[in-house]
Amino acid sequence: MKNTTLRSLIAVSSLVPATTVAADTASVTQTSFGRLRDGREASLYSLVNANGMKADVTNYGAIIVRLFTPDRAGRMDDVVLGYNTLEEYVAATPYFGAIVGRYGNRIAKGKFTVDGQTYSLATNNDPGGLLCHLHGGRVGFDKVLWSAEPLLVDNTPGLKLRYSSKDGEEGYPGNLDITVHYWLGNDNAFKIEYLATTDKATPVNLTQHSYFNLKGEGRGDILGHVLTLKASRTTPVDAGLIPTGKFAPVAGTPFDFTTPHSIGERVNAKDDQMKFGGGYDHNWVLDNQTGQLALAASVFEPSSGRTMEVWTQEPGIQFYCGNFLDGSNVGKSGRPYHHRTGLCLETQHYPDSPNQPNFPSTVLRPGAKYQTSTIYKFSAK
Ligand code: BGC
């Protein structure tokens, strides 16, 4: 399907009930996003909901390229960092907008043991000079071409993305089949549903790595964004950003976002944890440990009035405030992304879980299903 709109194709589909009112407003459009060096073509899918909110997604890395949300005056701005072209994503990206995996976040020394067998992964990151495995390795799920199928169900535009990760890929055991559904709801909620199955026991920890700037991408730093996290503890890290295995209460520390605080207020606090991350780059232990969808975080940007809520079934959230952005990535509007001009709220299991007996297990076994969902919901006040 090239340069076509799903709306016209779906008119006869049983997926759309005859009673749908705004059926002619929500749509999914597919265009080319360029070719990879090996000749394969990537697509760009534009999902537009009944309110005119738009998400552009490519099947390269399952990347959210653009996400337009209204401010308090109804003005749409693109609130995620990223590039206009496939080439730029292929050349250099700090995981802008991508699904990361097979294991999002860090695994100490790139080693883990499952059922008595030790596996070695690529060590592609070295905070504090200490080697670790980060976000799936050299060619993680952010750098592969997913198969994609546009959807329009109950007037909700969506995209079904699939990737089969081979046994041994990036050193991980087992053939892992992954399906990710993106949905752009008419309540302005961007929903991500993850599903995975394996034929050998393997750690799995998938997350979405969008960098948000609710002022609009390229419009300066995120230090004035006001954050609330439904989390009373973190998993403190060592100099290599690997958890020590302990849980630390946030009360009385710069990590306490149980009440709203601007990100800038305490980001430069003299604190060892803050020093290791160069600012916030830590996993918070969410108070909700039920596995059911619950509010995990909310971010309010005062000048635009935009608010983003994060809902998840996951037990943790990595809040990363873009400390490693240094202006070398020039974004969609031609402006460099400087230090702390985007923030990530990556819902997940805790970092290094495969080596941490105190943490909830991330091992998926044959016959079991990895199934989890996260929602980024937008409004303005
Ligand atoms: C991590 C950062 C890392 C970044 C990659 C985040 O998820 O927490 O430490 O530098 O991804 O750009």
Side-chain angles (χ1 to χ4, degrees), residues 14 28 333 350:
S14 58
V28 187
S333 49
Y350 313 154

Side-chain angles (χ1 to χ4, degrees), residues 94-95 106 134-135 209 211 241 281 318 320 324 346:
Y95 306 91
R106 294 185 168 83
L134 175 69
H135 293 337
H209 208 294
Y211 288 68
L241 298 183
D281 191 359
Q318 182 88 6
Y320 168 56
F324 296 112
E346 303 155 60

Side-chain angles (χ1 to χ4, degrees), residues 97-365:
I99 294 289
V100 297
R102 189 177 294 203
Y103 198 94
N105 218 310
R106 294 185 168 83
I107 296 179
K109 302 185 179 86
K111 289 208 187 317
F112 66 90
T113 301
V114 175
D115 296 341
Q117 184 153 353
T118 298
Y119 297 90
S120 287
L121 310 170
T123 46
N124 56 326
N125 190 236
D126 62 348
L130 301 164
L131 282 169
C132 68
H133 177 83
L134 175 69
H135 293 337
R138 295 201 176 90
V139 184
F141 296 169
D142 59 298
K143 294 181 184 67
V144 300
L145 198 62
W146 297 58
S147 66
E149 183 190 336
L151 301 167
L152 190 59
V153 179
D154 293 339
N155 202 32
T156 301
L159 192 65
K160 179 181 183 180
L161 293 145
R162 301 196 65 180
Y163 180 65
S164 293
S165 170
K166 295 280 165 276
D167 188 5
E169 188 173 308
E170 291 295 323
Y172 289 100
N175 292 296
L176 185 75
D177 285 321
I178 310 116
T179 305
V180 169
H181 278 95
Y182 286 154
W183 298 106
L184 186 57
N186 294 320
D187 53 355
N188 288 0
F190 188 95
K191 183 169 191 187
I192 306 150
E193 294 171 332
Y194 303 88
L195 179 67
T197 54
T198 184
D199 59 5
K200 272 188 202 161
T202 178
V204 182
N205 192 31
L206 305 177
T207 191
Q208 224 298 331
H209 208 294
S210 282
Y211 288 68
F212 297 97
N213 185 328
L214 299 184
K215 290 191 278 195
E217 63 83 29
R219 289 177 196 263
D221 66 52
I222 46 75
L223 298 176
H225 286 50
V226 179
L227 175 67
T228 310
L229 292 172
K230 300 266 184 198
S232 353
R233 294 179 301 163
T234 61
T235 51
V237 288
D238 64 17
L241 298 183
I242 298 295
T244 60
K246 300 206 170 82
F247 295 98
V250 295
T253 78
F255 292 85
D256 190 350
F257 285 95
T258 55
T259 56
H261 285 273
S262 75
I263 292 167
E265 184 186 326
R266 300 163 299 178
V267 71
N268 294 318
K270 301 247 168 309
D271 175 292
D272 267 355
Q273 285 299 306
M274 211 66 98
K275 191 172 81 192
F276 296 151
Y280 295 112
D281 191 359
H282 299 80
N283 171 65
W284 270 253
V285 175
L286 292 169
D287 293 338
N288 172 48
Q289 295 284 319
T290 63
Q292 302 300 309
L293 203 56
L295 182 64
S298 68
V299 193
F300 170 64
E301 198 288 299
S303 67
S304 63
R306 287 194 183 87
T307 298
M308 179 177 80
E309 286 181 355
V310 186
W311 293 69
T312 191
Q313 292 179 252
E314 287 299 293
I317 194 164
Q318 182 88 6
F319 163 45
Y320 168 56
C321 68
N323 307 308
F324 296 112
L325 294 174
D326 59 5
S328 58
N329 308 107
V330 178
K332 288 169 277 189
S333 49
R335 292 184 283 257
Y337 294 138
H338 293 294
H339 194 219
R340 298 178 179 157
T341 52
L343 67 95
C344 303
L345 287 163
E346 303 155 60
T347 58
Q348 56 171 14
H349 273 58
Y350 313 154
D352 197 35
S353 295
N355 295 308
Q356 302 277 352
N358 292 339
F359 291 177
S361 173
T362 50
V363 175
L364 179 69
R365 294 185 178 279

Side-chain angles (χ1 to χ4, degrees), residues 38 83 232 251 302:
D38 62 11
Y83 297 124
S232 353

